[in-house]
Amino acid sequence: MNAQQTVEQLQNTSILYRIQVIEMLLQSLKEKIAENESSFEKEKTFSVRTFDLGTSALPDQEQIYLARGL
């Protein structure tokens, strides 16, 4: 049975049966999503490298505003 035949058969059934089919499909999707999320939950580790700039690197706000024309 192809998809079109399945849709036609569902259109000719009761609303209660259609709702049950939808609930089953949603439940299967929910389970698939849970499976996929568990594989994404593994966090990648990273390391932070620090370095010394040698001197203070604080920006001069007045120079920044003057360069912007403010």
Side-chain angles (χ1 to χ4, degrees):
M1 183 180 298
N2 64 26
Q4 184 61 33
Q5 290 172 333
T6 305
V7 170
E8 289 174 6
Q9 186 175 3
L10 283 171
Q11 287 175 340
N12 296 325
T13 60
S14 69
I15 293 175
L16 180 62
Y17 181 72
R18 286 191 235 175
I19 291 172
Q20 289 173 345
V21 170
I22 292 170
E23 287 175 342
M24 289 186 324
L25 287 171
L26 290 175
Q27 184 62 35
S28 69
L29 286 173
K30 183 179 176 182
E31 291 168 1
K32 275 291 190 192
I33 290 171
E35 289 174 10
N36 289 340
E37 285 179 351
S38 65
S39 65
F40 288 118
E41 289 178 5
K42 297 176 185 173
E43 294 181 14
K44 294 182 179 179
T45 59
F46 65 94
S47 61
V48 176
R49 292 183 286 171
T50 60
F51 56 94
D52 185 14
L53 296 174
T55 60
S56 176
L58 296 174
D60 184 6
Q61 289 182 351
E62 289 182 25
Q63 286 181 347
I64 293 171
Y65 291 132
L66 286 173
R68 292 183 186 171
L70 299 175

